[in-house]
């Protein structure tokens, strides 16, 4: 033998060629792994853009079940009768029925000092005089100890009992409902469901409303699990868990903003998707409200140029048109009064109310 393989090539080159092929296979596999998330993202964003197409059905406008989140200045003495008069003028001829007035936050042990809402009685009476038919609810929230040790521990029975007692006191102060915003609340939290069961007994005994601000629903199946595993912050709820919450309350308002979408068309498509997902699992006996961004911050997760009121309203109308166009117990919730511009109000009134 002369040391050469068939074809005249030196036999010593074969192992080197095999190594090159293996490297190519490894590089191909790595490229595919890197490209797969990009391809998935592009596919998802394309689907959202398609969700933004079409024409909303006639009549998919306000059902006069809308709500507005109000800041703490309304109950701590900074607002006056003139402010209430101006607010009533702003609400006139809109679809707003409920005001969520920030009366908290709750302490981490679930208590709520009366000193946090000293002007509640004045506000409730003044609103009822200036805007008859508008309900005033107490907006109560706190940071949960789900992703850090600091916060409200729902797993503690004593804490849940304190939240219930705080709710009794807030209703005794004259509020017509209690609106809870507890974050970050992970999908599947059974302690939260148990708290809602306890709270509903209290609110119904006083003929008051139990209302919650809800996380967004998985845009892809089990996406909250994937996101939680990679970021330790499972931002979304499963659709099934959303339905479990919705069946326990009188109102559920989806916080359909801070969506990480870079364009109005993608944000609007995202809201259309969220509207459909929420409608599918919210019982007819529960008011479903979709949140609209009445604020203009630019930070991670929120782009003011993308998350606009016109895009949000169009998304709401498209989702409503496709899923349950005739639903009565449905509306939008505007977040938040102190950051809203005249352009936000004009877009809400022109695109949704009229």
């Amino acid at each position: 033998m002369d040391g050469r393989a068939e074809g005249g090539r030196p036999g010593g080159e074969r192992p080197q060629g095999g190594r090159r092929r293996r490297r190519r296979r490894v590089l191909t596999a790595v490229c595919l792994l890197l490209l797969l998330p990009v391809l998935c993202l592009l596919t998802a964003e394309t689907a959202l853009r398609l969700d933004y197409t079409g024409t909303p059905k006639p009549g998919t406008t306000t059902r006069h079940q809308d709500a507005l989140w109000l800041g703490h200045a309304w109950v701590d003495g900074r607002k006056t009768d003139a402010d209430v008069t101006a607010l009533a003028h702003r609400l006139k001829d809109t679809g707003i029925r409920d005001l969520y007035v920030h009366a908290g936050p709750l302490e981490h042990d679930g208590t709520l000092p009366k000193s946090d809402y000293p002007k509640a009685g004045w506000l409730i009476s003044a609103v009822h005089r200036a805007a008859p038919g508008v309900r005033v609810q107490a907006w109560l929230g706190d940071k949960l100890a789900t992703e850090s040790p600091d916060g409200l521990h729902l797993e503690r029975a004593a804490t849940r009992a304190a939240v219930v007692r705080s709710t009794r006191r807030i209703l005794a102060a004259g509020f017509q409902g209690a609106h809870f915003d507890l974050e970050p609340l992970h999908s599947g939290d059974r302690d939260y469901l148990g708290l809602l069961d306890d709270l509903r007994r209290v609110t119904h005994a006083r003929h008051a409303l139990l209302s919650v601000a809800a996380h967004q629903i998985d845009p892809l199946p089990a996406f909250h699990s994937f996101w939680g595993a990679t970021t330790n912050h499972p931002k979304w709820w499963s659709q099934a868990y959303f339905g479990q919450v919705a069946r326990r309350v009188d109102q559920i308002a989806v916080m359909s903003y801070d969506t990480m979408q870079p364009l109005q068309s993608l944000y609007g498509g995202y809201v259309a998707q969220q509207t459909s997902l929420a409608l599918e699992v919210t019982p007819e006996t529960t008011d479903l409200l979709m949140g609209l961004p009445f604020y203009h911050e630019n930070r991670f997760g929120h782009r003011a140029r993308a998350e606009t009121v016109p895009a949000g309203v169009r998304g709401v109308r498209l989702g409503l048109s496709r899923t349950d166009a005739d639903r009565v117990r449905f509306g939008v919730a505007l977040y938040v009064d102190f950051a809203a511009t005249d352009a936000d109000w004009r877009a809400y009134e022109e695109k949704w109310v009229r």
Side-chain angles (χ1 to χ4, degrees), residues 61 93-94 309-310 313 317 342-354:
T61 51
D93 299 324
T94 70
V309 176
V313 169
R317 294 189 64 202
D342 287 339
D344 293 329
W345 280 104
R346 188 162 55 251
Y348 158 72
E349 291 165 359
E350 292 177 356
K351 306 294 184 181
W352 178 247
V353 177
R354 302 193 183 98

Side-chain angles (χ1 to χ4, degrees), residues 104-274:
L106 294 165
E107 300 294 323
H108 288 345
D109 62 0
T111 59
L112 181 67
K114 288 185 178 181
S115 57
D116 281 1
Y117 50 98
K119 303 290 288 184
W122 162 80
L123 174 68
I124 296 165
S125 298
V127 168
H128 288 169
R129 286 194 303 270
V134 174
R135 299 179 298 199
V136 184
Q137 300 191 47
W139 168 15
L140 305 174
D142 194 21
K143 171 188 174 184
L144 294 179
T146 48
E147 297 172 14
S148 72
D150 183 40
L152 190 148
H153 289 262
L154 280 182
E155 74 277 10
R156 297 175 181 172
T159 300
R160 297 195 302 275
V163 173
V164 173
R165 289 194 298 271
S166 296
T167 304
R168 288 196 182 97
R169 295 192 185 103
I170 209 77
L171 296 178
F175 286 101
Q176 294 163 283
H179 175 79
F180 286 89
D181 177 15
L182 303 175
E183 303 178 50
L185 182 58
H186 293 180
S187 183
D189 191 316
R190 303 298 304 179
D191 294 315
Y192 181 61
L193 298 180
L195 175 63
L196 293 179
D197 290 335
D198 294 339
L199 289 171
R200 188 163 188 173
R201 284 190 284 271
V202 171
T203 55
H204 281 205
R206 290 183 172 270
H207 306 287
L209 297 167
L210 175 58
S211 175
V212 296
H215 287 34
Q216 297 157 30
I217 301 172
D218 280 333
L220 297 170
F223 196 67
H224 71 279
S225 298
F226 163 77
W227 196 260
T230 54
T231 68
N232 194 38
H233 174 57
K235 173 182 172 71
W236 293 269
W237 287 353
S238 72
Q239 189 184 37
Y241 186 68
F242 186 98
Q244 290 177 320
V245 173
R247 289 192 292 273
R248 286 170 164 81
V249 299
D250 301 300
Q251 290 181 333
I252 186 165
V254 185
M255 295 181 284
S256 41
Y257 35 77
D258 295 347
T259 64
M260 298 186 283
Q261 298 304 318
L263 301 173
Q264 286 191 52
S265 59
L266 298 179
Y267 172 64
Y270 186 93
V271 172
Q273 180 200 61
Q274 289 290 308

Side-chain angles (χ1 to χ4, degrees), residues 68 70 74 82-92 99 127:
L68 171 66
L70 296 178
W74 292 94
D83 293 308
V84 175
T85 301
L87 175 63
H89 180 73
R90 172 66 81 180
L91 300 182
K92 186 179 180 182
L99 301 177
V127 168

Side-chain angles (χ1 to χ4, degrees), residues 32-105:
L32 288 173
L33 287 174
L34 292 174
L35 285 173
L36 188 59
V38 176
L39 292 173
C40 289
L41 177 61
L42 289 174
T43 301
E45 296 293 75
T46 300
L48 293 182
R49 182 63 184 87
L50 291 174
D51 281 340
Y52 196 58
T53 60
T55 302
K57 289 184 178 180
T60 51
T61 51
T62 187
R63 278 86 164 114
H64 301 282
Q65 306 285 328
D66 304 334
L68 171 66
W69 278 283
L70 296 178
H72 200 80
W74 292 94
V75 293
D76 67 5
R78 283 177 284 172
K79 296 292 187 179
T80 66
D81 287 330
D83 293 308
V84 175
T85 301
L87 175 63
H89 180 73
R90 172 66 81 180
L91 300 182
K92 186 179 180 182
D93 299 324
T94 70
I96 293 175
R97 186 186 185 192
D98 287 286
L99 301 177
Y100 303 141
V101 185
H102 191 269

